[in-house]
Amino acid sequence: MSETNKAIRGTNDILPDESYKWQYVESKMIETAGLFGFKETRVPVFEATEVFVRSVGDTTDVVQKEMYTFDDKGGRSITLRPEFTAGTVRSVIEHSLVNGALPVKVCYCGTCYRYEKPQAGRLREFHQFGVECFGAPQPSADAEIILLANAILVSLGIKNLSLEINSIGCPECRRRYQEALTQYFESKKDELCVTCNERLNKNAMRILDCKSPVCSKIAAAAPVMLDYLCDDCKDHFDAVREHLRSAGVNFTVNPHIVRGLDYYTKTVFEFVSGDIGAQSTVCGGGRYDGLVDQMGGPQLPSLGFAMGIERLLMVMEKQGCEFPKQRPIDVYVAPLGDSAKFESTKICMSLRNEGFSAVTDLSGRGLKAQMKYADKIGADFCIVLGENELQTGKCSFRNMKTGEQFDVALGDEILSTIYDKKINAVITELSDSIDDMSGLLTEKK
Ligand code: ATP
Ligand code: MG
């Protein structure tokens, strides 16, 4: 296949028979976030490059290697968002939300772009759902967003994730840590990769995030931030853990989590899955107390997380999580002959106006081909409209599941027949599940 007929490497098409899963997952996420008081916000796919460089940090992999940056026709440097926090912070400052009622709680969902090596769970265009909470200094806020991430994962039926948390302190206590870290890595300088040697001079903490096996091994034995926390950061971390314990959420403290973006302070966390191979982090987040101020807004302790939707879907497929069924086509209307086509359009519109999905022939096919198509698209009912039927004011009505077939008068009787059949189907489904439940109850007794 020629390159022009193929999607760009690292991008995926979400095909019509897959999109219902995305709609389900995304709406569940937004709905659950709503229970915690988060409202959806939508920010542009691209921003001035500076927005990301200033917030994500110019020593991070994201800014150094992964951004899609280009000059637009007006000569401005533009970058496709590699994540949402930077644009969201820009937006809440620009629209003065940070000067209104605090905390401001927003969530978002959409595509992100990173020039990375494509592999399972790592794409160049991928989707994130995330939340940001501005103006919430209390440890209860850290716990709340972790509980929200957990609630979303639970609501999707995902199991066996581990929650790992750490504190990377504040700029005060981090200064002492950076010194200790630099000293440690200086002693291993010759073994570190070329990039980490550069990191050593600029930001030694970035070495902790290096994916090279040699550097990771050296990093594993490096001093940990937890041993350098100031009293305030230590108390904060203790309180976050206490909140999580009292909410009954299991977690482990992993002193090696640093996160790949520079803006984090104090609490950082990840949800990790053992089911999807090397790209195992499905959600990452933490506190960023200095970011709003750094981006030109007020001094506003804030925090958030982001989850990778592709990775979550991979876990869900692997674990056999249930998705609700795709919306069926309720009725296929098969017109035979020209005058039947007008009637068919009319019937379809009256069905759609009542909230039923209705599809008709747009290709000029004969009856057999139309029935085949109706079957392929999974229509529940089929209405056949021939010249004879039109003359007698009737149409032939067929239940595609049972094969039952009878005549129905054109007009309101079509609607009442479909209502009738649909209601019967719902009643049968309900009584089946009532039977299941009472069966379960008797078993329990
Ligand atoms: P990783 O360590 O896997 O590179 P990260 O630290 O760069 O992740 P974040 O910037 O915190 O990731 O993004 C939050 C989440 O978005 C990740 O936990 C992951 O689920 C998802 N994600 C990040 N980069 C990609 C990508 N290139 N393709 C698919 N999902 C991604
Ligand atoms: Mg990354």
Side-chain angles (χ1 to χ4, degrees), residues 28-268:
K28 207 77 192 157
M29 289 169 162
I30 293 172
E31 183 190 312
T32 311
L35 299 177
F36 287 68
F38 288 80
K39 289 193 209 161
E40 193 193 0
T41 188
R42 298 187 184 198
V43 292
V45 166
F46 54 83
E47 300 270 352
T49 300
E50 245 337 87
V51 170
F52 301 111
V53 175
R54 268 173 53 198
S55 54
V56 174
D58 56 6
T59 60
T60 58
D61 274 0
V62 171
V63 169
Q64 284 197 336
K65 302 193 249 174
E66 297 171 3
M67 294 206 306
Y68 276 91
T69 299
F70 57 95
D71 284 346
D72 72 3
K73 290 193 167 58
R76 302 167 201 91
S77 181
I78 300 290
T79 294
L80 301 186
R81 61 185 179 210
E83 51 97 67
F84 277 79
T85 306
T88 308
V89 171
R90 194 264 315 132
S91 168
V92 292
I93 296 173
E94 182 175 338
H95 299 285
S96 298
L97 303 188
V98 285
N99 306 112
L102 295 175
V104 176
K105 295 167 124 184
V106 296
C107 63
Y108 53 76
C109 192
T111 51
C112 293
Y113 302 85
R114 295 187 191 179
Y115 194 76
E116 301 197 73
K117 193 166 164 237
Q119 53 201 284
R122 193 174 290 291
L123 293 153
R124 290 182 174 170
E125 180 186 73
F126 62 100
H127 295 72
Q128 279 190 346
F129 168 85
V131 308
E132 313 292 348
C133 178
F134 300 100
Q138 293 290 307
S140 51
D142 308 51
E144 186 174 276
I145 64 158
I146 294 174
L147 292 175
L148 167 55
N150 190 58
I152 289 173
L153 300 165
V154 168
S155 78
L156 294 171
I158 297 174
K159 294 173 290 291
N160 304 332
L161 292 182
S162 51
L163 165 61
E164 301 183 1
I165 65 170
N166 189 24
S167 174
I168 55 169
C170 63
E172 298 307 312
C173 48
R174 211 182 292 165
R175 208 166 296 134
R176 283 195 308 125
Y177 175 59
Q178 290 267 21
E179 276 167 27
L181 204 57
T182 310
Q183 214 172 12
Y184 169 78
F185 284 127
E186 278 288 349
S187 68
K188 313 271 174 194
K189 208 172 164 179
D190 299 344
E191 296 163 63
L192 294 173
C193 72
V194 183
T195 324
C196 281
N197 264 285
E198 283 165 24
R199 288 169 173 147
L200 188 51
N201 302 321
K202 292 186 197 149
N203 184 352
M205 269 178 85
R206 289 273 65 88
I207 302 174
L208 299 173
D209 218 22
C210 183
K211 306 272 190 300
S212 114
V214 178
C215 298
S216 320
K217 202 165 163 219
I218 297 172
V224 294
M225 183 66 224
L226 285 182
D227 294 334
Y228 291 81
L229 293 183
C230 63
D231 287 347
D232 181 40
C233 288
K234 201 171 165 306
D235 290 348
H236 188 97
F237 193 49
D238 286 345
V240 173
R241 283 184 288 177
E242 194 49 44
H243 273 289
L244 292 177
R245 271 188 223 107
S246 74
V249 172
N250 290 330
F251 62 87
T252 51
V253 173
N254 177 350
H256 297 290
I257 296 180
V258 285
R259 313 284 309 122
L261 315 171
D262 267 357
Y263 48 63
Y264 287 110
T265 52
K266 293 186 177 164
T267 316
V268 286

